[in-house]
């Protein structure tokens, strides 16, 4: 019957999505997690960037791969009583590939932060991808987004290049939205 055509198409799409979840989880186990690690190792080797790659496998179907840049002394310290030096440590950021409930993989990053001086900035989502979308170019693009986030954090200042500089006029009755 024609009145069921639209709903029947939705049911077929839903069944296809359920099949994709199974297929994508198998792809993660069979080849994708190894592919991601291999490509990241190549990037690290060619760029001479130091990082630790770890796999989180406690919850099957929601596994992740983390590329951690490490924790080191930040260069900031406090002199406590009796001139004892208390160093503040900096976490340099992490790129993570983690499986989602639907078999897709999200790439996200955590920003650097200095422990004891600041709260970590919320993680940034780089993207969500179905396993068939993964290739060398996607990994490189995600890594470049990660690096851009790190550079933005390290180069922090109050300049916002997307907004015009403030008007330099001050005084009573000045309206910055008024055209001259």
């Amino acid at each position: 019957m024609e009145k069921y055509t639209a709903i029947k198409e939705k049911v077929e799409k839903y069944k296809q999505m359920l099949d994709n979840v199974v297929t994508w989880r198998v792809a993660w186990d069979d080849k994708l997690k190894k592919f991601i690690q291999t490509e990241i190792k190549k990037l690290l080797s060619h760029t001479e960037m130091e990082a630790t790659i770890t796999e989180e496998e406690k919850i099957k179907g929601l596994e992740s791969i983390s590329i951690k840049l490490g924790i080191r002394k930040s260069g900031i310290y406090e002199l406590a009583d009796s001139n004892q030096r208390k160093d503040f440590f900096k976490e340099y950021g992490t790129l993570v590939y983690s499986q989602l409930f639907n078999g897709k993989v999200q790439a996200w990053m955590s920003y650097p932060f200095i422990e004891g001086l600041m709260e970590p900035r919320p993680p940034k989502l780089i993207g969500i991808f179905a396993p068939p979308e993964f290739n060398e170019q996607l990994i490189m693009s995600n890594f470049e987004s990660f690096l851009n986030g790190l550079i933005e954090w390290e180069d922090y200042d109050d300049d916002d290049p997307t907004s015009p500089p403030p008007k330099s006029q001050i005084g009573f009755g000045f309206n910055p939205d008024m055209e001259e």
Side-chain angles (χ1 to χ4, degrees):
M1 296 185 89
E2 287 185 36
K3 70 179 182 179
Y4 295 109
T5 302
I7 197 79
K8 187 175 180 180
E9 288 173 2
K10 299 259 187 219
V11 168
E12 290 305 315
K13 183 174 181 172
Y14 175 65
K15 287 179 180 179
Q16 180 61 51
M17 293 307 301
L18 293 176
D19 289 343
N20 285 347
V21 171
V22 173
T23 301
W24 293 342
R25 286 195 179 138
V26 169
W28 173 270
D29 286 330
D30 286 353
K31 59 185 175 187
L32 185 56
K33 66 181 170 183
K34 183 175 172 68
F35 174 77
I36 292 170
Q37 290 180 48
T38 300
E39 291 303 314
I40 293 295
K41 286 176 185 173
K42 283 186 209 175
L43 273 169
L44 295 173
S45 173
H46 288 304
T47 60
E48 299 179 10
M49 187 170 203
E50 291 184 31
T52 303
I53 301 172
T54 57
E55 240 183 281
E56 182 61 52
E57 301 179 289
K58 288 181 185 174
I59 301 176
K60 294 297 182 183
L62 293 176
E63 299 165 52
S64 66
I65 298 167
S66 298
I67 301 94
K68 297 180 181 186
L69 300 185
I71 299 173
R72 297 182 286 285
K73 289 181 182 178
S74 67
I76 300 169
Y77 61 92
E78 176 181 31
L79 288 178
D81 295 337
S82 69
N83 279 342
Q84 290 286 347
R85 179 177 165 149
K86 178 190 173 222
D87 289 296
F88 290 92
F89 286 82
K90 178 178 176 183
E91 192 164 313
Y92 281 80
T94 304
L95 173 63
V96 180
Y97 289 93
S98 56
Q99 287 181 289
L100 294 173
F101 61 92
N102 62 3
K104 292 182 178 183
V105 177
Q106 68 178 351
W108 58 274
M109 70 170 287
S110 66
Y111 288 91
F113 74 97
I114 300 172
E115 295 175 350
L117 286 183
M118 61 180 57
E119 290 296 315
R121 194 169 160 183
K124 174 186 172 188
L125 178 66
I126 294 171
I128 297 174
F129 311 98
E133 295 178 80
F134 275 83
N135 57 38
E136 184 179 286
Q137 185 58 40
L138 180 65
I139 300 289
M140 289 179 68
S141 173
N142 292 340
F143 200 78
E144 185 174 1
S145 293
F146 174 53
L147 288 173
N148 286 340
L150 297 176
I151 290 166
E152 173 191 312
W153 191 91
E154 294 293 347
D155 194 33
Y156 173 81
D157 59 28
D158 61 355
D159 293 338
D160 179 6
T162 61
S163 64
K167 304 248 184 200
S168 60
Q169 297 175 342
I170 58 172
F172 180 79
F174 171 65
N175 183 347
D177 295 327
M178 244 175 62
E179 294 193 81
E180 297 176 15

